[in-house]
Amino acid sequence: MVWLLCSCEEAIATQHELYSSFISVLHFQLKHTPKDFFVDIVSRDNFLTVTLKNFFANLEDCVGAGQDLVKRGLQFRDTLSKKYSWDFTLELNEFAPTVID
């Protein structure tokens, strides 16, 4: 369900209330997740981070998304970036080598 909502750019343009609620639900669910939950190498590039990167890109590219929805989405992205140190600006390449520090 999360992947479907995050990948449907046409729905973002027409279903503003649904996506606003979707952002709220994810925000409050992740609010209860410990800061270090996504730190290890196995969970860093997980389903959620990859899917949300796609969602934020679709949200920014969607002409009919509306300013309020885009603003809310980008604030959510910034909150996640600060809490989990996720970078949604990097291009994900599934064939790129994994660097372990």
Side-chain angles (χ1 to χ4, degrees):
M1 177 81 73
V2 172
W3 178 83
L4 181 64
L5 287 170
C6 289
S7 61
C8 190
E9 191 172 343
E10 288 180 28
I12 293 172
T14 60
Q15 303 296 320
H16 298 173
E17 191 172 318
L18 170 68
Y19 280 93
S20 183
S21 296
F22 173 66
I23 291 168
S24 292
V25 168
L26 281 179
H27 171 77
F28 287 111
Q29 286 181 345
L30 290 171
K31 189 176 184 178
H32 297 290
T33 306
K35 186 177 180 178
D36 62 351
F37 186 76
F38 294 106
V39 172
D40 71 35
I41 191 72
V42 175
S43 60
R44 182 173 299 182
D45 288 326
N46 61 42
F47 163 79
L48 188 58
T49 58
V50 173
T51 303
L52 285 175
K53 182 188 182 313
N54 186 34
F55 173 63
F56 296 133
N58 286 338
L59 190 61
E60 287 184 287
D61 293 342
C62 184
V63 175
Q67 286 182 321
D68 291 339
L69 181 60
V70 172
K71 181 180 177 183
R72 185 180 181 105
L74 297 181
Q75 286 174 338
F76 179 51
R77 180 191 68 190
D78 293 344
T79 299
L80 293 175
S81 294
K82 288 176 187 172
K83 182 173 182 178
Y84 298 111
S85 299
W86 290 344
D87 187 356
F88 293 105
T89 61
L90 295 176
E91 289 295 320
L92 296 177
N93 183 350
E94 64 185 54
F95 303 108
T98 301
V99 177
I100 300 173
D101 294 328

